[in-house]
Amino acid sequence: MDCVPALDEPLKKVLGPATAKVMAEHLGLHTVGDLLHHYPRRYEERGQLTHLADLPMDEHVTVVAQVADARLHTFASSRAPRGKGQRLEVTITDGSGRLQLVFFGAGVHKPHKELLPGTRAMFAGKVSVFNRRLQLAHPAYELLRGDAEETVETWAGALIPIYPATAKLESWKIGKALQTVLPSAQGAADPLPESLREGRGLVPLPEALLKIHRPHTKADIEEARARLKWDEAFVLQVALARRRYADAQLPAVPRRPRPDGILAAFDDRLPFTLTEGQRKVSEEIFADLATDHPMHRLLQGEVGSGKTMVALRAMLAVVDAGGQAAMLAPTEVLAQQHHRSVTEMMGDLAQGGMLGGAENATKVVLLTGSMGAAARRQALLDLATGEAGIVIGTHALIEDKVQFHDLGLVVVDEQHRFGVEQRDALRGKGKQPPHLLVMTATPIPRTVAMTVFGDLETSVLDQLPAGRSPIASHVVPAADKPHFLARAWERVREEVEKGHQAYVVCPRIGDEEDGAKAKKKSPEDEAEKRPPLAVLDTAEQLARGPLAGLRVEALHGRMHPDDKDAVMRRFAAGEVDVLVATTVIEVGVNVPNATVMVIMDADRFGVSQLHQLRGRVGRGSAPGLCLLVSEMPEASAARQRLNAVASTLDGFELSRIDLEQRREGDVLGQAQSGTRSSLRMLAVIDDEEVIAEAREEATGIVAADPELERLPALRTALDALLDEEREQYLEKG
């Protein structure tokens, strides 16, 4: 046992510097323990032993047979025009039948020397037919010497682990390295409390590590996976449970609305009744606001389900209780829009301190980066004195100069546009931690993962308010069926003739200097031979071509804010028929008269972006239509993604599709897209049950022993999972 390396031993001491360097740089593996937790992606079977007489086609088989004869042929080919091509044909027999093996090119030398007539060996490969005869091309083989019974059984039944590898380090080399460190698995400290492990019938950790890397049977793999999934889910859930426990100890000011306050006055004037969903979700939020530790709630609602109304009522409840509420929007266009719609909804209740303001009115201020100096100074003053109960702004709200009188609630709109740091900076502006409400239409994978992991409490608005219309979505395959695209422009004209308006969205603006060198995305993208379609070119082509005679205007993020606002106002007033824009219109733009959305190069957008964009139409009483235009081939992953978006209007369903395609990001770290995941074994969607059960166990254990003093091995596992950076990231939520 002396020579067994410890789990924290650096790999360079065990495997040599060259291999260790590649493992560190390309796979992020530094210690013996890291390598033991680098699990196989799948297992190849060399097939069960098969008689030659009954070989199945196209399957991976393993046969034991004797070489009957072997012949080397030379032939001419395009690669070897002078008749220098070589083909080795070997015929083998097991008494029940015969089978031909073929080896080509440079691959003939070794078998030509080794596979002599009379040699017994085990052959593994895929059965194919050539000239109406069964054959194995380039099979793997192992020569059998001496008493071969045992070798036959062990070799044929072996499950060969295939590891996540890199071009610099093939899977079989990783397998060999694992062979070297596997004895160290015996020293692995088990993070699961014994009672939990036994209660759930899970194997001990050292056994699970041996079985995942060197399984004898498929049952071994299942046992190991079940155990290792539990490890991941449980350790993560303990991290989150400790954070929730710490949060519950944090003080927050309870905020309860007054029966005769601004919220009651606002509700009395509503020209419509709230939906059942809006009422239920508001009650959940009010209950959270009334407690003395900070609310962390995700409000997930379909585009147009009335999230803004719910958020506004929450903000008014906080104003009633003497606090201030801040709403953080991702873009200036959206911040201005929210400010307009909130002041319109509130009427004279938003005119605090002004002539004609209602008696319990408050001030609603806007704060963005492009405001003039005087307006900005006034807004900052209103926040510092508490004159303004509600502020709506972009990340200008986060700057050091901004001070609140008493910040009680932070509402974050479309959280996938904000970093955790930005939300954290805003929360740091309260005298005590403010309550937090995060709104989204389509959760990004990390949020879905966090919701499954139970980090955010979730409220869902799944009804559309009265008067909202369904949206029909269709994929327009522009390359396969160009007439579909022509029909799309006809549909736009038809809608405009009925008095409606349309959006056309393009992936880029078109005044970039290096437009031609636009970055390539995925190799499957045949359409990538040209740069993505641009707003400025498309607007011009449409106005001259298929939409000639209609009032077409362009809108993009690099326009001066005043020009942008002017275009949006003209569109909202019905003076523009077709708005050709980038994704600046993705969130919050509200023009009920717009009924069609045509998204060009739709395959260049993410699932959640497409869903957001589609939500801009169908906001009035006329039904909405969304056309996803793409040149991608039918069978491509991009087209399947578009078909998925066209087939459902359910944001949660779409985010699950997104999650399955992109993985969940590092649930604990910065990576949003899933390139670096702290999950090796768990799949958030497939293993929801394990995760939920682990949450229950973790919550109980943390409540009984918050510092985990009685569970040192769990504490160690937690420290390994949460390096300094991730610990802070978790803290920030």
PDB file of all heavy atoms in Angstrom, residues 326-349:
ATOM      1  N   ALA A 326     -36.544  49.607  -6.793  1.00  0.00           N
ATOM      2  CA  ALA A 326     -35.772  49.900  -8.004  1.00  0.00           C
ATOM      3  C   ALA A 326     -36.018  48.803  -9.019  1.00  0.00           C
ATOM      4  O   ALA A 326     -35.987  47.625  -8.684  1.00  0.00           O
ATOM      5  CB  ALA A 326     -34.287  49.956  -7.672  1.00  0.00           C
ATOM      6  N   MET A 327     -36.262  49.203 -10.269  1.00  0.00           N
ATOM      7  CA  MET A 327     -36.427  48.214 -11.330  1.00  0.00           C
ATOM      8  C   MET A 327     -35.281  48.356 -12.314  1.00  0.00           C
ATOM      9  O   MET A 327     -35.033  49.440 -12.845  1.00  0.00           O
ATOM     10  CB  MET A 327     -37.754  48.413 -12.052  1.00  0.00           C
ATOM     11  CG  MET A 327     -38.011  47.364 -13.105  1.00  0.00           C
ATOM     12  SD  MET A 327     -39.545  47.746 -13.952  1.00  0.00           S
ATOM     13  CE  MET A 327     -40.411  46.222 -13.831  1.00  0.00           C
ATOM     14  N   LEU A 328     -34.573  47.257 -12.532  1.00  0.00           N
ATOM     15  CA  LEU A 328     -33.380  47.263 -13.367  1.00  0.00           C
ATOM     16  C   LEU A 328     -33.725  46.665 -14.726  1.00  0.00           C
ATOM     17  O   LEU A 328     -34.168  45.519 -14.803  1.00  0.00           O
ATOM     18  CB  LEU A 328     -32.336  46.394 -12.649  1.00  0.00           C
ATOM     19  CG  LEU A 328     -30.886  46.436 -13.059  1.00  0.00           C
ATOM     20  CD1 LEU A 328     -30.372  47.857 -13.060  1.00  0.00           C
ATOM     21  CD2 LEU A 328     -30.044  45.592 -12.099  1.00  0.00           C
ATOM     22  N   ALA A 329     -33.557  47.458 -15.802  1.00  0.00           N
ATOM     23  CA  ALA A 329     -33.892  46.973 -17.145  1.00  0.00           C
ATOM     24  C   ALA A 329     -32.614  46.873 -17.976  1.00  0.00           C
ATOM     25  O   ALA A 329     -31.692  47.658 -17.787  1.00  0.00           O
ATOM     26  CB  ALA A 329     -34.868  47.934 -17.814  1.00  0.00           C
ATOM     27  N   PRO A 330     -32.559  45.924 -18.922  1.00  0.00           N
ATOM     28  CA  PRO A 330     -31.296  45.686 -19.631  1.00  0.00           C
ATOM     29  C   PRO A 330     -30.907  46.746 -20.665  1.00  0.00           C
ATOM     30  O   PRO A 330     -29.738  46.892 -20.963  1.00  0.00           O
ATOM     31  CB  PRO A 330     -31.502  44.338 -20.304  1.00  0.00           C
ATOM     32  CG  PRO A 330     -32.973  44.131 -20.343  1.00  0.00           C
ATOM     33  CD  PRO A 330     -33.563  44.903 -19.227  1.00  0.00           C
ATOM     34  N   THR A 331     -31.870  47.482 -21.213  1.00  0.00           N
ATOM     35  CA  THR A 331     -31.500  48.480 -22.236  1.00  0.00           C
ATOM     36  C   THR A 331     -32.229  49.799 -21.959  1.00  0.00           C
ATOM     37  O   THR A 331     -33.254  49.818 -21.274  1.00  0.00           O
ATOM     38  CB  THR A 331     -31.945  48.022 -23.647  1.00  0.00           C
ATOM     39  OG1 THR A 331     -33.386  47.940 -23.658  1.00  0.00           O
ATOM     40  CG2 THR A 331     -31.367  46.666 -24.004  1.00  0.00           C
ATOM     41  N   GLU A 332     -31.712  50.872 -22.540  1.00  0.00           N
ATOM     42  CA  GLU A 332     -32.354  52.184 -22.364  1.00  0.00           C
ATOM     43  C   GLU A 332     -33.756  52.189 -22.954  1.00  0.00           C
ATOM     44  O   GLU A 332     -34.692  52.717 -22.359  1.00  0.00           O
ATOM     45  CB  GLU A 332     -31.519  53.271 -23.047  1.00  0.00           C
ATOM     46  CG  GLU A 332     -30.157  53.437 -22.418  1.00  0.00           C
ATOM     47  CD  GLU A 332     -29.695  54.888 -22.406  1.00  0.00           C
ATOM     48  OE1 GLU A 332     -30.348  55.728 -23.042  1.00  0.00           O
ATOM     49  OE2 GLU A 332     -28.684  55.172 -21.734  1.00  0.00           O
ATOM     50  N   VAL A 333     -33.876  51.579 -24.157  1.00  0.00           N
ATOM     51  CA  VAL A 333     -35.196  51.553 -24.804  1.00  0.00           C
ATOM     52  C   VAL A 333     -36.209  50.936 -23.845  1.00  0.00           C
ATOM     53  O   VAL A 333     -37.321  51.436 -23.651  1.00  0.00           O
ATOM     54  CB  VAL A 333     -35.142  50.715 -26.117  1.00  0.00           C
ATOM     55  CG1 VAL A 333     -36.539  50.485 -26.678  1.00  0.00           C
ATOM     56  CG2 VAL A 333     -34.282  51.409 -27.156  1.00  0.00           C
ATOM     57  N   LEU A 334     -35.797  49.840 -23.207  1.00  0.00           N
ATOM     58  CA  LEU A 334     -36.715  49.127 -22.331  1.00  0.00           C
ATOM     59  C   LEU A 334     -36.976  49.905 -21.037  1.00  0.00           C
ATOM     60  O   LEU A 334     -38.108  49.958 -20.547  1.00  0.00           O
ATOM     61  CB  LEU A 334     -36.151  47.746 -22.013  1.00  0.00           C
ATOM     62  CG  LEU A 334     -37.106  46.834 -21.278  1.00  0.00           C
ATOM     63  CD1 LEU A 334     -38.424  46.722 -22.025  1.00  0.00           C
ATOM     64  CD2 LEU A 334     -36.517  45.461 -21.111  1.00  0.00           C
ATOM     65  N   ALA A 335     -35.916  50.547 -20.502  1.00  0.00           N
ATOM     66  CA  ALA A 335     -36.099  51.320 -19.270  1.00  0.00           C
ATOM     67  C   ALA A 335     -37.094  52.452 -19.532  1.00  0.00           C
ATOM     68  O   ALA A 335     -38.016  52.699 -18.745  1.00  0.00           O
ATOM     69  CB  ALA A 335     -34.762  51.876 -18.793  1.00  0.00           C
ATOM     70  N   GLN A 336     -36.934  53.130 -20.686  1.00  0.00           N
ATOM     71  CA  GLN A 336     -37.849  54.233 -21.025  1.00  0.00           C
ATOM     72  C   GLN A 336     -39.275  53.707 -21.182  1.00  0.00           C
ATOM     73  O   GLN A 336     -40.237  54.304 -20.707  1.00  0.00           O
ATOM     74  CB  GLN A 336     -37.398  54.907 -22.330  1.00  0.00           C
ATOM     75  CG  GLN A 336     -36.118  55.717 -22.159  1.00  0.00           C
ATOM     76  CD  GLN A 336     -35.420  55.973 -23.490  1.00  0.00           C
ATOM     77  OE1 GLN A 336     -35.792  55.421 -24.520  1.00  0.00           O
ATOM     78  NE2 GLN A 336     -34.390  56.798 -23.468  1.00  0.00           N
ATOM     79  N   GLN A 337     -39.366  52.569 -21.853  1.00  0.00           N
ATOM     80  CA  GLN A 337     -40.682  51.967 -22.073  1.00  0.00           C
ATOM     81  C   GLN A 337     -41.370  51.613 -20.740  1.00  0.00           C
ATOM     82  O   GLN A 337     -42.539  51.885 -20.529  1.00  0.00           O
ATOM     83  CB  GLN A 337     -40.478  50.709 -22.906  1.00  0.00           C
ATOM     84  CG  GLN A 337     -41.744  49.947 -23.114  1.00  0.00           C
ATOM     85  CD  GLN A 337     -42.062  49.815 -24.581  1.00  0.00           C
ATOM     86  OE1 GLN A 337     -41.254  50.146 -25.426  1.00  0.00           O
ATOM     87  NE2 GLN A 337     -43.235  49.334 -24.871  1.00  0.00           N
ATOM     88  N   HIS A 338     -40.596  50.968 -19.837  1.00  0.00           N
ATOM     89  CA  HIS A 338     -41.162  50.623 -18.522  1.00  0.00           C
ATOM     90  C   HIS A 338     -41.607  51.886 -17.787  1.00  0.00           C
ATOM     91  O   HIS A 338     -42.647  51.921 -17.153  1.00  0.00           O
ATOM     92  CB  HIS A 338     -40.115  49.893 -17.663  1.00  0.00           C
ATOM     93  CG  HIS A 338     -40.083  48.412 -17.886  1.00  0.00           C
ATOM     94  ND1 HIS A 338     -41.217  47.651 -18.008  1.00  0.00           N
ATOM     95  CD2 HIS A 338     -39.048  47.544 -17.978  1.00  0.00           C
ATOM     96  CE1 HIS A 338     -40.871  46.380 -18.179  1.00  0.00           C
ATOM     97  NE2 HIS A 338     -39.558  46.297 -18.174  1.00  0.00           N
ATOM     98  N   HIS A 339     -40.758  52.914 -17.873  1.00  0.00           N
ATOM     99  CA  HIS A 339     -41.073  54.154 -17.163  1.00  0.00           C
ATOM    100  C   HIS A 339     -42.378  54.742 -17.710  1.00  0.00           C
ATOM    101  O   HIS A 339     -43.268  55.143 -16.948  1.00  0.00           O
ATOM    102  CB  HIS A 339     -39.918  55.160 -17.325  1.00  0.00           C
ATOM    103  CG  HIS A 339     -40.136  56.440 -16.583  1.00  0.00           C
ATOM    104  ND1 HIS A 339     -40.454  57.625 -17.213  1.00  0.00           N
ATOM    105  CD2 HIS A 339     -40.134  56.720 -15.251  1.00  0.00           C
ATOM    106  CE1 HIS A 339     -40.613  58.577 -16.308  1.00  0.00           C
ATOM    107  NE2 HIS A 339     -40.418  58.059 -15.107  1.00  0.00           N
ATOM    108  N   ARG A 340     -42.494  54.735 -19.046  1.00  0.00           N
ATOM    109  CA  ARG A 340     -43.723  55.256 -19.662  1.00  0.00           C
ATOM    110  C   ARG A 340     -44.935  54.449 -19.214  1.00  0.00           C
ATOM    111  O   ARG A 340     -45.944  54.999 -18.796  1.00  0.00           O
ATOM    112  CB  ARG A 340     -43.614  55.183 -21.194  1.00  0.00           C
ATOM    113  CG  ARG A 340     -43.244  56.513 -21.844  1.00  0.00           C
ATOM    114  CD  ARG A 340     -43.679  56.575 -23.307  1.00  0.00           C
ATOM    115  NE  ARG A 340     -43.122  55.520 -24.140  1.00  0.00           N
ATOM    116  CZ  ARG A 340     -41.899  55.551 -24.662  1.00  0.00           C
ATOM    117  NH1 ARG A 340     -41.095  56.575 -24.414  1.00  0.00           N
ATOM    118  NH2 ARG A 340     -41.463  54.572 -25.418  1.00  0.00           N
ATOM    119  N   SER A 341     -44.811  53.102 -19.296  1.00  0.00           N
ATOM    120  CA  SER A 341     -46.018  52.309 -19.011  1.00  0.00           C
ATOM    121  C   SER A 341     -46.382  52.362 -17.522  1.00  0.00           C
ATOM    122  O   SER A 341     -47.548  52.407 -17.164  1.00  0.00           O
ATOM    123  CB  SER A 341     -45.892  50.874 -19.533  1.00  0.00           C
ATOM    124  OG  SER A 341     -44.844  50.221 -18.891  1.00  0.00           O
ATOM    125  N   VAL A 342     -45.354  52.426 -16.642  1.00  0.00           N
ATOM    126  CA  VAL A 342     -45.653  52.497 -15.203  1.00  0.00           C
ATOM    127  C   VAL A 342     -46.333  53.830 -14.869  1.00  0.00           C
ATOM    128  O   VAL A 342     -47.335  53.876 -14.149  1.00  0.00           O
ATOM    129  CB  VAL A 342     -44.364  52.296 -14.363  1.00  0.00           C
ATOM    130  CG1 VAL A 342     -44.558  52.759 -12.921  1.00  0.00           C
ATOM    131  CG2 VAL A 342     -43.949  50.828 -14.391  1.00  0.00           C
ATOM    132  N   THR A 343     -45.807  54.947 -15.425  1.00  0.00           N
ATOM    133  CA  THR A 343     -46.427  56.248 -15.106  1.00  0.00           C
ATOM    134  C   THR A 343     -47.837  56.324 -15.700  1.00  0.00           C
ATOM    135  O   THR A 343     -48.742  56.885 -15.081  1.00  0.00           O
ATOM    136  CB  THR A 343     -45.563  57.439 -15.591  1.00  0.00           C
ATOM    137  OG1 THR A 343     -45.149  57.171 -16.925  1.00  0.00           O
ATOM    138  CG2 THR A 343     -44.339  57.639 -14.731  1.00  0.00           C
ATOM    139  N   GLU A 344     -48.019  55.712 -16.896  1.00  0.00           N
ATOM    140  CA  GLU A 344     -49.383  55.712 -17.466  1.00  0.00           C
ATOM    141  C   GLU A 344     -50.337  54.903 -16.591  1.00  0.00           C
ATOM    142  O   GLU A 344     -51.459  55.316 -16.323  1.00  0.00           O
ATOM    143  CB  GLU A 344     -49.366  55.135 -18.894  1.00  0.00           C
ATOM    144  CG  GLU A 344     -48.950  56.173 -19.943  1.00  0.00           C
ATOM    145  CD  GLU A 344     -48.583  55.516 -21.277  1.00  0.00           C
ATOM    146  OE1 GLU A 344     -48.979  54.350 -21.510  1.00  0.00           O
ATOM    147  OE2 GLU A 344     -47.889  56.179 -22.082  1.00  0.00           O
ATOM    148  N   MET A 345     -49.877  53.719 -16.149  1.00  0.00           N
ATOM    149  CA  MET A 345     -50.753  52.866 -15.319  1.00  0.00           C
ATOM    150  C   MET A 345     -51.101  53.554 -13.997  1.00  0.00           C
ATOM    151  O   MET A 345     -52.198  53.428 -13.494  1.00  0.00           O
ATOM    152  CB  MET A 345     -50.076  51.510 -15.030  1.00  0.00           C
ATOM    153  CG  MET A 345     -50.083  50.538 -16.201  1.00  0.00           C
ATOM    154  SD  MET A 345     -49.750  48.827 -15.679  1.00  0.00           S
ATOM    155  CE  MET A 345     -48.016  48.675 -15.816  1.00  0.00           C
ATOM    156  N   MET A 346     -50.125  54.305 -13.452  1.00  0.00           N
ATOM    157  CA  MET A 346     -50.352  54.908 -12.136  1.00  0.00           C
ATOM    158  C   MET A 346     -51.109  56.239 -12.207  1.00  0.00           C
ATOM    159  O   MET A 346     -51.723  56.664 -11.230  1.00  0.00           O
ATOM    160  CB  MET A 346     -49.014  55.116 -11.406  1.00  0.00           C
ATOM    161  CG  MET A 346     -48.425  53.816 -10.873  1.00  0.00           C
ATOM    162  SD  MET A 346     -46.785  54.065 -10.165  1.00  0.00           S
ATOM    163  CE  MET A 346     -47.128  55.170  -8.776  1.00  0.00           C
ATOM    164  N   GLY A 347     -51.023  56.926 -13.373  1.00  0.00           N
ATOM    165  CA  GLY A 347     -51.729  58.203 -13.483  1.00  0.00           C
ATOM    166  C   GLY A 347     -51.244  59.194 -12.439  1.00  0.00           C
ATOM    167  O   GLY A 347     -50.042  59.332 -12.211  1.00  0.00           O
ATOM    168  N   ASP A 348     -52.199  59.869 -11.741  1.00  0.00           N
ATOM    169  CA  ASP A 348     -51.755  60.910 -10.795  1.00  0.00           C
ATOM    170  C   ASP A 348     -51.108  60.327  -9.527  1.00  0.00           C
ATOM    171  O   ASP A 348     -50.566  61.061  -8.705  1.00  0.00           O
ATOM    172  CB  ASP A 348     -52.907  61.870 -10.446  1.00  0.00           C
ATOM    173  CG  ASP A 348     -54.080  61.137  -9.807  1.00  0.00           C
ATOM    174  OD1 ASP A 348     -53.968  59.913  -9.584  1.00  0.00           O
ATOM    175  OD2 ASP A 348     -55.111  61.790  -9.532  1.00  0.00           O
ATOM    176  N   LEU A 349     -51.148  58.998  -9.379  1.00  0.00           N
ATOM    177  CA  LEU A 349     -50.438  58.383  -8.235  1.00  0.00           C
ATOM    178  C   LEU A 349     -48.918  58.456  -8.440  1.00  0.00           C
ATOM    179  O   LEU A 349     -48.140  58.224  -7.522  1.00  0.00           O
ATOM    180  CB  LEU A 349     -50.843  56.911  -8.071  1.00  0.00           C
ATOM    181  CG  LEU A 349     -52.275  56.660  -7.573  1.00  0.00           C
ATOM    182  CD1 LEU A 349     -52.621  55.183  -7.672  1.00  0.00           C
ATOM    183  CD2 LEU A 349     -52.432  57.142  -6.127  1.00  0.00           C
TER     184      LEU A 349
END
